[in-house]
Amino acid sequence: MASLNKVFLLGNLTRDPELRYTPGGNPVSTLGLAVNRIYKSKDGQNQKDTCFVNVVVWGKMAEISNQYLQKGRLILVEGRLQFRSWENQQGQKRNVIEVVATNIQFMPQGDSKNQDKPEKKDDEKVVNLEDEDNNLGEAI
């Protein structure tokens, strides 16, 4: 049976990345992402619906995200959905569905009112964190 677990999300960070390290020394960062959907209601009015998603980033990508990203930044996340469950300190079972990022692209910043044609600053580039040869000193 075929299956596919692939997610692409374009949205704004709801908070600064939270970087921590596993006991084995692996970096992991948690991002909050707000993804908007604009649609017309039955009466023809534009409506906006926002979906808040937790994103988990591992390895070098986690450290780079923590270094260069901040609340409000527009990013493109490519990844997969992951389901986790655990028991909290009160003994209650907790569940979460989150996105585990395989790639993050820092999107150009511009005037949020004119999202169709964002202005690109001279020293700003879109950074693909999968590319090992990118020069992050020039990226942001």
Side-chain angles (χ1 to χ4, degrees):
M1 175 184 259
S3 65
L4 177 66
N5 184 354
K6 192 75 160 177
V7 175
F8 290 91
L9 297 171
L10 179 67
N12 296 89
L13 293 177
T14 61
R15 60 183 184 273
D16 290 342
E18 300 168 13
L19 179 67
R20 58 192 186 287
Y21 292 86
T22 66
N26 294 325
V28 59
S29 185
T30 305
L31 311 175
L33 193 66
V35 181
N36 296 320
R37 178 178 73 100
I38 298 175
Y39 63 96
K40 289 201 183 285
S41 63
K42 291 179 182 179
D43 61 358
Q45 298 294 317
N46 282 341
Q47 299 291 318
K48 184 166 97 172
D49 182 39
T50 304
C51 180
F52 296 96
V53 181
N54 288 325
V55 179
V56 178
V57 186
W58 289 91
K60 182 178 179 183
M61 194 172 15
E63 293 176 321
I64 292 169
S65 296
N66 186 66
Q67 183 177 0
Y68 291 106
L69 294 177
Q70 63 279 337
K71 179 180 178 178
R73 184 68 190 256
L74 181 67
I75 63 171
L76 174 67
V77 176
E78 178 182 351
R80 63 181 170 82
L81 291 176
Q82 174 178 278
F83 174 80
R84 289 189 303 123
S85 66
W86 70 95
E87 202 170 286
N88 67 12
Q89 294 177 346
Q90 293 77 27
Q92 297 172 318
K93 188 171 183 178
R94 307 297 292 179
N95 300 313
V96 67
I97 295 177
E98 58 200 2
V99 173
V100 177
T102 56
N103 186 32
I104 295 177
Q105 290 187 16
F106 302 174
M107 302 307 290
Q109 294 176 325
D111 183 3
S112 62
K113 294 176 186 169
N114 189 7
Q115 296 256 343
D116 294 335
K117 296 181 182 179
E119 292 181 25
K120 192 172 188 180
K121 297 177 184 174
D122 291 338
D123 63 343
E124 190 173 69
K125 299 177 185 176
V126 175
V127 177
N128 182 336
L129 294 179
E130 278 188 341
D131 295 339
E132 290 297 323
D133 296 328
N134 61 17
N135 186 346
L136 292 174
E138 295 179 359
I140 305 297

